[in-house]
Amino acid sequence: MILRFGVVGTGAIGREHINRITNKLSGGKIVAVTDVNQDSAKQTVETYQLDAVIYPDDKALIADENVDVVLVTSWGPAHEETVVAAVEAGKYVFCEKPLATTAAGCMRIVEAEMKQGKKLVQVGFMRRYDTGYAQLKQVIANNEIGEPLMIHAAHRNPTVGENYVTETAVQDTLIHEIDVLHWLVNDDYKTVQVTFPRKTKNAHGKLQDPQLFTIETIGGIVMNVEVFVNCKYGYDIQCEVVGEDGIAKLPEFPSVVMRKSEQLSTNILNDWKYRFMDAYNVEIQDFIDSIAKSGEPEGPTSWDGYIAAVTSDACVKAQQTGEKEPISLQERPAFYSEHILQNN
Amino acid sequence: MILRFGVVGTGAIGREHINRITNKLSGGKIVAVTDVNQDSAKQTVETYQLDAVIYPDDKALIADENVDVVLVTSWGPAHEETVVAAVEAGKYVFCEKPLATTAAGCMRIVEAEMKQGKKLVQVGFMRRYDTGYAQLKQVIANNEIGEPLMIHAAHRNPTVGENYVTETAVQDTLIHEIDVLHWLVNDDYKTVQVTFPRKTKNAHGKLQDPQLFTIETIGGIVMNVEVFVNCKYGYDIQCEVVGEDGIAKLPEFPSVVMRKSEQLSTNILNDWKYRFMDAYNVEIQDFIDSIAKSGEPEGPTSWDGYIAAVTSDACVKAQQTGEKEPISLQERPAFYSEHILQNN
Amino acid sequence: MILRFGVVGTGAIGREHINRITNKLSGGKIVAVTDVNQDSAKQTVETYQLDAVIYPDDKALIADENVDVVLVTSWGPAHEETVVAAVEAGKYVFCEKPLATTAAGCMRIVEAEMKQGKKLVQVGFMRRYDTGYAQLKQVIANNEIGEPLMIHAAHRNPTVGENYVTETAVQDTLIHEIDVLHWLVNDDYKTVQVTFPRKTKNAHGKLQDPQLFTIETIGGIVMNVEVFVNCKYGYDIQCEVVGEDGIAKLPEFPSVVMRKSEQLSTNILNDWKYRFMDAYNVEIQDFIDSIAKSGEPEGPTSWDGYIAAVTSDACVKAQQTGEKEPISLQERPAFYSEHILQNN
Amino acid sequence: MILRFGVVGTGAIGREHINRITNKLSGGKIVAVTDVNQDSAKQTVETYQLDAVIYPDDKALIADENVDVVLVTSWGPAHEETVVAAVEAGKYVFCEKPLATTAAGCMRIVEAEMKQGKKLVQVGFMRRYDTGYAQLKQVIANNEIGEPLMIHAAHRNPTVGENYVTETAVQDTLIHEIDVLHWLVNDDYKTVQVTFPRKTKNAHGKLQDPQLFTIETIGGIVMNVEVFVNCKYGYDIQCEVVGEDGIAKLPEFPSVVMRKSEQLSTNILNDWKYRFMDAYNVEIQDFIDSIAKSGEPEGPTSWDGYIAAVTSDACVKAQQTGEKEPISLQERPAFYSEHILQNN
């Protein structure tokens, strides 16, 4: 069985997924595309030599009986409407982050999905599919370090442009830690506080950089997350989980070990694209395989998208107030609880 | 375009490739299978739900017009005849090592291929597709460490069974270093000498273990290769290239970093299967993509298979004599020289 | 010239210093000892075969003309009186932490010393003499990582006894980070806030463990310091300085690298004694050499002792309030400012 | 008790030992010096403000009743005569390598010492006092890796001058591995063979560089030792012992860990002086302490000096012949056998 994708949004990330599904992975194919820019849609079909219908809009694409999955890679503000429509049509959805730009929007998707009586939606949080994070999750789940007590994490990026402002550090950067950290420890967030260290000379005027987020969970885990997007030296993701009986830490991204010019060194990546390249592939292949196998995607759910939205809002508020801000989630519906267990 | 594979040999490695092509990679499918054990062939078709014809033998399979590629995963002594027949029929061939069990056999394949006027055959030396080796090759090709002078390598395996004897260390184990090391430095072998250290208590009676191979190239590079197949502690592949201006070394296989019980540690694999898992996928995908793109496979050639056979014979002789034995290759045909350049 | 030490307090640490000065270092000797337990003093003289007068109390010892240096290793509450008396007598003082148990006490020592017109006192903060910290200081001073923006530090210990309570984490443990971190970045502290993660099952009833201290400096550097004294896995000191242009981190304590039982590992110490063994030796030798060379000790001053006391008080208060507490230092006298520059 | 040293030879290494004994260590002092260049002797006394008699030659110095130890740091060809004379006078001797320039010379010292009925001589092989090597020795002695089967070692140096020729690689460089490796595994050497890889462009005309020594022991251990003295990138000592049950390797020389300019790096030393600085101090302090404690030095003996001389001669011969050369030691006298056990 081949899973037939209709793609809404043929920008950079849309094209990458199209290329991935067409040329690298197994079990899926692109049968329909649409974009607000119809030329982009046409050009994409040509570039990747797709045997795909070009639709004028997402509604038409969703209506196509040949489309099994709607792959949502349009710009963020458009996500909610497309996802709700696709879910109501009973289609599977793979939606890049954010699931919706507001917590209320995410909740509308959650409700639409529950009404369908089965899980249809996966959100594009690819880190869970990174080998390092997967090993870390396993180590914790196996009780190799006892109960987690603290997490020390860092998300560092060499440089950002002028349109990246203080809130962007939450919405585009921290958002990945927001998803992956609660998943790692299987806990829910309670509060967040932000501290701004001295600003680096390498950040432009509208951006406070670096930032330190202190996040506490319901279970009492304290997470320090450094976000530093003009660190200059490279793209570097660090995550260390301190448990009662030991500590586990993400491996460094592997690279040839050099002895040269009085230095013993390995390379640090300079671009985020390379860091999670494999994770993107595994993520989509797992989405395809899970649906083929069990009829449901098994990755990050609509509820995870909702958690990300609520937490992200609280983090932005904490940036503004300097105070410890609550992260107030509604009660998790039983509908979404099985999934957590499966993921362990 | 989908490349259509006919598989000769449905044992363990044949099935892994079938699964890979069917469920993980893109651009290929299995359309025919055969095995000396017809039940195995039938069971394979069922297990992987293949839409494939089951043939009584390799000749019939090769004759099928729907077969573009013959994937040779039968036992070693049968390789030569299948490969020659497939090449003479103008089919592409992906053949697991050894290409043939003798140098003369490899040469007959080389000659058959040259007669066809284009490259058809790729030999399954997957290490070239490992990220670490690929980076090492790049570092050398970029002249980052100057001219290579020495290589220190080790191939360690936790334990082997009774049927693994002293020569097996060359034919099944060292064979991978034989292929990858000359490729790394783009040089040809000249001599080999073997030293046997004190035998480990963990090796059975018919096996000298460990063994140290000292291999010299035409260009004067000296390679020390340790083969130690009852090292107990894990499966561990080491390769360090010492150049005039610096040294480059394979990265350790990545794993979560633990602090526990007074140890800072990472895991070492206990089984070779995990070490080159990705390399096997990349190898086959590259084979498919290269044929789709340029009409020729771009991996290890029949000539590389011939080099492996000649070198392997010399290594076995060196085990027996204790002397420095010559590795005498025929002159490389121009037909196979382009490839080396492409590979850089 | 041999520097003549009179030792006040012949407990464990007093004896270690006596052994060090007598049997490992050069340029010093023990000529007098005293202890509230006179038997301990006598036994010490015998054990180390010292040619030393045993005095009934610190006053008598200080009055001995043969004593150049008073080495204060009595219990903390007694330090202030001994140090003030020694300074007023114009003697050099090497005083183990704390310099005094209160900020006011430290200030009285500072004033007594300033009245003498030259530096006489060194406080036993040995970490500054650790090779790793010294390298870290050099890297920062050389501007190799630009201006420091953040420090991530951890002080982990395998286990503590019943008498170690929540405040002890500041007074006996964090105190070392308090001294070394401001010295590293040549800055003064401004505020501190404490977060208590979920308590480890391995801590006894009266102890909150682990604890996270967030300390901000006048210059805007934010320091996260984890104190975890029942971490079980070993004694482990981590310190990473994040600068505008790069990051520098303490090396792991060196140990033989093992490949065994599917693990690549190095040892982590299980006891703090081994971690700073060399630093203790370098500290005392430097104290002796500096006095011989320039007539003044060049290590941590009375003012550094005062900083430690004020900061320690604020940290304990922060443990109790949960709020961000100010760290209010008096203005640094010019008398103590040269030293900082020398230390760079 | 203070051990009184008379120093024969006040060149660079002589002065370093004088400084060490005078200003860094405990329990020794310099009471006499001599040098063929009397001005050097005088200048040394002044520089280090020694209270020492300047003698016209070694005989006069040895005759001084105040001299307990003769420290031999003259040039190599003069060692034998001084050491024999000192031993015959019943004095302790600390002699820098080589003990004598010929095996016969070493044997004459061995015999003189045996005639005195107790161990008097220690040879300056400082590596045994390096923390890393000491740990490695302990790991092997504790049977943590089972019986040693192979050693992979490398001795790399950034660059050498014109007076360093092919044999110098044995006499000045490999000589340290020759001493430390047999000590590590408590075994004796049997044969050596040399392989010359392609010569680096960075070596001058009279020097074959790098060189690979394959040394076999009586017990069957095979050691590969790379000597590469124009490796450019730094001073780097590697030693990995492969045992039946695991592998142990010298730690890298510790240094601050940097993340900068897309590299994760530590520093490699550029000069041998820094690598074994601590080992030199420990070596001399241990020499002093052992004599104070047991009346005999416990470090490398005259017999170890003899082993080094015989092995060094065989290595030079192997450079010339290209053949496997025997390393033929006389039988070890019982007089020197205890020591090996003590060293374990």
Side-chain angles (χ1 to χ4, degrees):
Chain A
M1 194 203 76
I2 300 293
L3 207 63
R4 297 164 302 175
F5 285 79
V7 181
V8 179
T10 55
I13 187 149
R15 289 178 180 214
E16 276 185 30
H17 281 319
I18 287 169
N19 181 41
R20 184 167 281 126
I21 291 163
T22 308
N23 295 316
K24 296 183 185 171
L25 307 178
S26 196
K29 70 173 172 184
I30 311 299
V31 299
V33 303
T34 187
D35 195 285
V36 290
N37 176 344
Q38 287 279 304
D39 281 348
S40 164
K42 273 175 210 159
Q43 208 175 13
T44 302
V45 168
E46 280 165 30
T47 302
Y48 297 99
Q49 301 174 41
L50 305 175
D51 182 15
V53 184
I54 300 170
Y55 283 103
D57 59 27
D58 56 347
K59 287 194 182 59
L61 180 140
I62 291 167
D64 182 343
E65 289 202 345
N66 285 323
V67 168
D68 302 313
V69 179
V70 181
L71 177 61
V72 184
T73 47
S74 50
W75 77 310
H79 288 186
E80 180 188 344
E81 201 178 315
T82 304
V83 175
V84 168
V87 166
E88 286 176 352
K91 306 277 165 132
Y92 293 108
V93 174
F94 186 96
C95 179
E96 275 304 317
K97 71 167 175 69
L99 178 59
T101 53
T102 63
C106 291
M107 194 48 84
R108 283 188 286 273
I109 291 168
V110 160
E111 282 157 6
E113 186 177 39
M114 287 174 69
K115 207 171 286 173
Q116 294 292 321
K118 75 173 201 173
K119 281 199 209 88
L120 295 169
V121 179
Q122 178 162 332
V123 186
F125 290 122
M126 76 294 179
R127 283 210 194 167
R128 302 187 185 193
Y129 297 94
D130 173 66
T131 311
Y133 276 111
Q135 280 184 25
L136 209 49
K137 172 93 176 158
Q138 204 58 48
V139 162
I140 297 168
N142 291 351
N143 202 30
E144 292 180 51
I145 58 169
E147 286 296 317
L149 307 174
M150 295 170 280
I151 290 183
H152 304 301
H155 189 140
R156 302 188 190 121
N157 186 73
T159 186
V160 295
E162 288 287 327
N163 60 340
Y164 188 111
V165 295
T166 300
E167 298 77 40
T168 321
V170 169
Q171 289 153 353
D172 276 14
T173 303
L174 184 68
I175 193 75
H176 287 290
E177 269 76 17
I178 289 175
D179 179 66
V180 87
L181 296 184
H182 80 81
W183 167 78
L184 265 186
V185 296
N186 205 8
D187 198 350
D188 276 320
Y189 300 129
K190 197 169 82 177
T191 64
V192 59
Q193 187 169 14
V194 183
T195 311
F196 293 122
R198 163 198 285 179
K199 181 175 162 176
T200 173
K201 68 183 178 206
N202 299 308
H204 62 72
K206 290 176 195 153
L207 172 59
Q208 194 64 39
D209 186 42
Q211 308 180 19
L212 277 163
F213 297 82
T214 304
I215 300 172
E216 295 185 68
T217 70
I218 302 289
I221 302 170
V222 179
M223 302 170 173
N224 288 131
V225 188
E226 173 199 327
V227 174
F228 188 10
V229 295
N230 290 285
C231 80
K232 289 187 63 184
Y233 75 83
Y235 184 76
D236 193 8
I237 301 300
Q238 298 285 331
C239 184
E240 181 180 49
V241 184
V242 180
E244 289 178 317
D245 302 325
I247 295 181
K249 189 169 169 287
L250 273 191
E252 300 290 331
F253 195 79
S255 118
V256 160
V257 182
M258 302 287 293
R259 290 173 191 269
K260 199 180 166 184
S261 310
E262 297 173 23
Q263 288 201 311
L264 176 60
S265 68
T266 53
N267 286 337
I268 296 175
L269 296 174
N270 60 5
D271 196 318
W272 62 270
K273 275 176 207 152
Y274 307 117
R275 177 63 182 82
F276 293 106
M277 190 88 85
D278 284 348
Y280 282 113
N281 290 335
V282 177
E283 170 193 54
I284 301 289
Q285 188 68 62
D286 182 81
F287 176 79
I288 293 169
D289 294 349
S290 297
I291 290 171
K293 204 181 63 184
S294 69
E296 290 193 357
E298 294 180 359
T301 65
S302 298
W303 188 257
D304 293 316
Y306 165 73
I307 290 174
V310 172
T311 306
S312 172
D313 288 351
C315 290
V316 169
K317 189 165 179 210
Q319 286 179 325
Q320 292 156 357
T321 64
E323 300 300 314
K324 190 181 280 195
E325 296 294 340
I327 301 171
S328 303
L329 294 169
Q330 296 195 24
E331 202 181 344
R332 179 188 294 265
F335 185 85
Y336 291 103
S337 60
E338 290 165 280
H339 186 68
I340 281 204
L341 296 174
Q342 282 183 337
N343 248 8
N344 279 325
Chain B
M1 194 205 74
I2 300 292
L3 207 62
R4 296 164 302 177
F5 285 77
V7 181
V8 179
T10 55
I13 187 150
R15 289 178 180 214
E16 276 185 29
H17 280 318
I18 286 169
N19 182 39
R20 185 167 280 127
I21 291 163
T22 307
N23 296 317
K24 297 183 186 171
L25 307 179
S26 196
K29 71 172 172 186
I30 311 299
V31 299
V33 303
T34 186
D35 195 285
V36 289
N37 176 345
Q38 287 279 304
D39 281 348
S40 164
K42 271 175 210 159
Q43 208 175 12
T44 302
V45 167
E46 279 165 30
T47 303
Y48 297 100
Q49 302 175 41
L50 304 176
D51 182 15
V53 184
I54 300 170
Y55 283 103
D57 59 26
D58 57 346
K59 287 194 181 60
L61 180 142
I62 291 167
D64 183 343
E65 289 201 344
N66 285 323
V67 169
D68 302 314
V69 178
V70 181
L71 178 61
V72 184
T73 47
S74 49
W75 78 311
H79 288 185
E80 180 188 343
E81 200 177 316
T82 305
V83 175
V84 167
V87 165
E88 286 176 352
K91 305 278 165 129
Y92 292 108
V93 174
F94 185 97
C95 179
E96 274 305 318
K97 72 168 174 69
L99 178 58
T101 53
T102 63
C106 291
M107 193 48 82
R108 283 188 285 272
I109 291 168
V110 159
E111 281 157 8
E113 186 177 39
M114 288 175 69
K115 207 172 287 174
Q116 293 291 322
K118 75 172 200 174
K119 281 199 209 87
L120 295 168
V121 179
Q122 178 161 333
V123 185
F125 289 123
M126 76 295 179
R127 285 211 192 164
R128 303 187 185 192
Y129 297 94
D130 172 68
T131 311
Y133 277 112
Q135 280 184 24
L136 209 48
K137 172 94 176 158
Q138 204 58 48
V139 161
I140 297 167
N142 291 350
N143 203 29
E144 292 180 50
I145 58 168
E147 286 295 319
L149 306 174
M150 294 169 280
I151 291 184
H152 304 302
H155 189 141
R156 302 188 189 120
N157 185 75
T159 185
V160 295
E162 288 287 326
N163 59 340
Y164 188 111
V165 294
T166 301
E167 298 77 40
T168 322
V170 169
Q171 288 152 353
D172 275 15
T173 303
L174 184 69
I175 193 76
H176 287 289
E177 270 76 18
I178 289 175
D179 179 66
V180 85
L181 297 184
H182 80 80
W183 168 78
L184 265 185
V185 297
N186 205 7
D187 199 349
D188 276 320
Y189 300 128
K190 196 170 83 179
T191 64
V192 59
Q193 187 169 14
V194 183
T195 311
F196 294 121
R198 162 199 287 181
K199 180 175 162 175
T200 174
K201 67 183 178 207
N202 299 309
H204 63 71
K206 289 177 197 154
L207 173 59
Q208 195 64 39
D209 187 42
Q211 307 180 19
L212 278 163
F213 297 82
T214 304
I215 299 172
E216 296 185 66
T217 71
I218 302 288
I221 302 170
V222 178
M223 304 170 172
N224 288 131
V225 188
E226 173 199 326
V227 173
F228 187 11
V229 295
N230 290 285
C231 80
K232 290 187 63 183
Y233 75 82
Y235 184 75
D236 193 9
I237 301 299
Q238 299 285 331
C239 184
E240 181 179 49
V241 184
V242 180
E244 290 178 315
D245 303 324
I247 294 180
K249 189 168 168 288
L250 272 191
E252 300 290 331
F253 195 78
S255 119
V256 160
V257 182
M258 302 288 293
R259 290 173 192 271
K260 199 179 168 184
S261 310
E262 298 174 22
Q263 287 202 309
L264 175 60
S265 68
T266 53
N267 286 337
I268 295 175
L269 296 173
N270 60 4
D271 197 317
W272 62 269
K273 276 176 206 151
Y274 308 117
R275 177 62 182 85
F276 294 107
M277 191 88 87
D278 284 348
Y280 282 113
N281 291 335
V282 177
E283 171 193 55
I284 301 289
Q285 188 67 63
D286 181 82
F287 176 78
I288 293 169
D289 293 350
S290 297
I291 290 172
K293 205 181 64 184
S294 70
E296 288 193 357
E298 294 180 0
T301 65
S302 299
W303 188 258
D304 292 315
Y306 165 72
I307 290 175
V310 171
T311 307
S312 172
D313 287 350
C315 290
V316 169
K317 189 164 180 209
Q319 286 178 324
Q320 293 155 355
T321 65
E323 300 299 314
K324 191 181 278 194
E325 296 294 339
I327 300 170
S328 304
L329 295 168
Q330 295 195 24
E331 202 182 342
R332 180 187 292 267
F335 184 85
Y336 292 101
S337 59
E338 291 166 279
H339 186 67
I340 282 205
L341 297 173
Q342 282 183 337
N343 248 9
N344 280 325
Chain C
M1 198 204 73
I2 300 294
L3 207 62
R4 295 164 304 176
F5 285 78
V7 181
V8 180
T10 54
I13 186 150
R15 289 176 182 217
E16 276 186 29
H17 280 320
I18 287 169
N19 182 40
R20 186 167 280 128
I21 291 164
T22 307
N23 296 317
K24 296 183 186 170
L25 308 180
S26 196
K29 70 172 171 186
I30 311 300
V31 298
V33 303
T34 187
D35 195 284
V36 290
N37 176 346
Q38 287 278 303
D39 282 348
S40 164
K42 274 175 211 160
Q43 210 175 12
T44 303
V45 167
E46 279 165 30
T47 303
Y48 297 101
Q49 303 175 38
L50 304 176
D51 182 15
V53 184
I54 300 170
Y55 283 104
D57 59 24
D58 58 346
K59 284 191 183 65
L61 180 142
I62 291 167
D64 182 343
E65 288 201 346
N66 285 322
V67 168
D68 301 316
V69 178
V70 180
L71 178 60
V72 185
T73 47
S74 49
W75 77 311
H79 287 186
E80 180 187 345
E81 201 178 314
T82 305
V83 175
V84 167
V87 165
E88 286 177 351
K91 306 276 163 132
Y92 292 109
V93 174
F94 186 97
C95 180
E96 274 305 317
K97 72 170 176 66
L99 178 58
T101 52
T102 63
C106 291
M107 193 47 84
R108 282 187 287 272
I109 292 168
V110 159
E111 282 157 6
E113 187 178 40
M114 287 175 69
K115 207 172 286 172
Q116 293 291 322
K118 74 173 202 175
K119 280 197 208 90
L120 295 169
V121 179
Q122 177 162 334
V123 185
F125 289 124
M126 76 293 178
R127 284 210 191 164
R128 302 187 185 191
Y129 297 94
D130 173 67
T131 311
Y133 277 112
Q135 280 183 25
L136 209 48
K137 171 94 177 158
Q138 203 60 48
V139 161
I140 297 167
N142 292 349
N143 202 30
E144 291 180 50
I145 59 169
E147 287 294 319
L149 306 174
M150 294 170 280
I151 290 182
H152 304 303
H155 189 141
R156 303 187 189 121
N157 185 73
T159 186
V160 295
E162 287 288 326
N163 59 340
Y164 188 112
V165 295
T166 301
E167 299 78 39
T168 321
V170 169
Q171 289 154 351
D172 275 14
T173 303
L174 184 69
I175 193 77
H176 286 290
E177 270 75 18
I178 288 176
D179 179 66
V180 85
L181 296 183
H182 79 81
W183 167 77
L184 265 185
V185 296
N186 206 6
D187 199 349
D188 276 320
Y189 300 128
K190 196 168 85 178
T191 64
V192 59
Q193 187 168 16
V194 183
T195 311
F196 293 121
R198 162 200 286 181
K199 180 174 160 176
T200 174
K201 68 181 178 207
N202 299 309
H204 62 72
K206 290 175 195 156
L207 172 61
Q208 194 64 38
D209 186 43
Q211 309 180 19
L212 277 164
F213 297 83
T214 304
I215 300 173
E216 295 186 67
T217 71
I218 302 289
I221 301 170
V222 178
M223 302 169 173
N224 287 132
V225 188
E226 172 198 328
V227 174
F228 188 10
V229 295
N230 291 285
C231 79
K232 288 188 66 184
Y233 75 84
Y235 184 76
D236 194 8
I237 301 299
Q238 297 285 332
C239 184
E240 181 180 51
V241 184
V242 180
E244 290 177 316
D245 302 325
I247 294 181
K249 189 167 167 290
L250 273 191
E252 299 291 332
F253 195 79
S255 118
V256 159
V257 183
M258 301 289 293
R259 291 174 190 270
K260 199 179 166 183
S261 309
E262 296 173 24
Q263 288 202 309
L264 176 59
S265 69
T266 53
N267 286 337
I268 295 176
L269 296 174
N270 61 5
D271 197 317
W272 61 271
K273 276 176 206 154
Y274 308 117
R275 176 63 182 82
F276 294 107
M277 190 88 86
D278 285 347
Y280 282 113
N281 291 335
V282 177
E283 171 193 53
I284 301 289
Q285 188 69 62
D286 181 80
F287 176 78
I288 293 170
D289 294 349
S290 297
I291 290 173
K293 204 181 63 185
S294 70
E296 289 193 358
E298 294 181 359
T301 64
S302 298
W303 188 257
D304 292 315
Y306 165 73
I307 290 175
V310 172
T311 306
S312 171
D313 288 350
C315 290
V316 169
K317 191 167 177 205
Q319 285 178 325
Q320 293 156 356
T321 65
E323 299 300 314
K324 189 182 282 195
E325 296 295 338
I327 301 171
S328 303
L329 294 169
Q330 296 195 23
E331 201 182 340
R332 179 189 292 266
F335 185 84
Y336 292 101
S337 59
E338 290 166 280
H339 186 69
I340 282 203
L341 297 173
Q342 281 182 337
N343 248 8
N344 279 327
Chain D
M1 197 205 74
I2 300 295
L3 207 62
R4 295 164 302 175
F5 285 78
V7 181
V8 179
T10 55
I13 185 148
R15 289 177 181 215
E16 276 184 28
H17 280 319
I18 287 169
N19 182 40
R20 186 167 280 127
I21 292 164
T22 307
N23 296 317
K24 296 183 185 170
L25 307 179
S26 197
K29 70 173 173 184
I30 310 301
V31 298
V33 303
T34 187
D35 195 285
V36 290
N37 176 345
Q38 287 278 304
D39 282 348
S40 164
K42 274 175 210 160
Q43 210 176 12
T44 302
V45 168
E46 279 165 32
T47 302
Y48 296 100
Q49 302 175 38
L50 305 176
D51 182 15
V53 184
I54 300 169
Y55 283 103
D57 59 26
D58 58 345
K59 287 193 182 61
L61 181 141
I62 292 167
D64 182 343
E65 289 201 344
N66 285 321
V67 168
D68 302 315
V69 178
V70 181
L71 178 61
V72 185
T73 47
S74 50
W75 78 311
H79 287 186
E80 181 188 344
E81 201 178 315
T82 304
V83 175
V84 167
V87 166
E88 287 177 352
K91 305 278 165 132
Y92 292 109
V93 174
F94 186 97
C95 180
E96 276 304 319
K97 72 168 175 69
L99 178 59
T101 53
T102 64
C106 291
M107 193 48 82
R108 281 188 287 271
I109 291 168
V110 159
E111 283 158 5
E113 186 178 39
M114 288 175 68
K115 207 171 288 173
Q116 293 291 322
K118 74 173 203 175
K119 281 199 209 90
L120 295 169
V121 179
Q122 177 162 333
V123 185
F125 288 123
M126 75 293 178
R127 285 209 191 166
R128 301 187 185 191
Y129 296 94
D130 173 67
T131 311
Y133 277 111
Q135 280 184 25
L136 209 47
K137 171 94 177 157
Q138 203 59 49
V139 161
I140 297 168
N142 292 349
N143 202 28
E144 291 180 50
I145 59 169
E147 287 295 318
L149 305 174
M150 294 169 280
I151 291 183
H152 304 303
H155 189 140
R156 301 185 191 124
N157 185 74
T159 185
V160 294
E162 288 287 326
N163 59 340
Y164 188 113
V165 294
T166 300
E167 298 79 39
T168 321
V170 170
Q171 290 154 352
D172 276 13
T173 302
L174 184 68
I175 193 76
H176 287 290
E177 271 75 17
I178 289 175
D179 179 66
V180 85
L181 297 183
H182 80 81
W183 167 78
L184 265 185
V185 296
N186 205 8
D187 199 349
D188 276 318
Y189 300 129
K190 196 168 84 177
T191 64
V192 59
Q193 186 169 15
V194 183
T195 311
F196 295 120
R198 163 200 286 180
K199 180 175 161 177
T200 175
K201 68 181 179 207
N202 299 308
H204 62 72
K206 290 174 196 155
L207 173 61
Q208 194 64 37
D209 187 43
Q211 308 180 18
L212 277 163
F213 297 83
T214 304
I215 299 172
E216 295 185 68
T217 71
I218 301 289
I221 302 170
V222 178
M223 303 170 172
N224 288 132
V225 188
E226 172 199 327
V227 174
F228 188 10
V229 294
N230 291 284
C231 79
K232 287 189 66 184
Y233 76 83
Y235 184 76
D236 193 7
I237 301 299
Q238 299 284 331
C239 184
E240 181 179 49
V241 184
V242 180
E244 288 177 318
D245 302 325
I247 294 181
K249 189 168 168 289
L250 273 191
E252 299 291 331
F253 195 79
S255 118
V256 159
V257 183
M258 303 287 295
R259 290 174 191 270
K260 199 179 166 182
S261 310
E262 297 173 23
Q263 287 201 310
L264 176 59
S265 68
T266 53
N267 286 337
I268 295 176
L269 296 174
N270 60 5
D271 196 318
W272 61 272
K273 277 177 206 152
Y274 308 117
R275 177 63 181 83
F276 294 106
M277 190 89 85
D278 284 348
Y280 282 113
N281 291 333
V282 177
E283 171 193 52
I284 301 288
Q285 188 69 61
D286 182 80
F287 176 77
I288 293 170
D289 293 351
S290 297
I291 290 173
K293 206 181 63 185
S294 70
E296 288 193 359
E298 295 180 358
T301 64
S302 299
W303 188 258
D304 293 316
Y306 166 72
I307 291 174
V310 172
T311 307
S312 171
D313 286 351
C315 290
V316 169
K317 190 165 178 208
Q319 286 179 325
Q320 291 156 356
T321 65
E323 299 300 315
K324 189 181 281 194
E325 296 294 339
I327 300 171
S328 304
L329 293 169
Q330 297 195 23
E331 202 182 340
R332 180 188 292 265
F335 185 86
Y336 291 102
S337 58
E338 291 165 277
H339 186 69
I340 283 204
L341 298 173
Q342 282 182 336
N343 247 9
N344 278 328

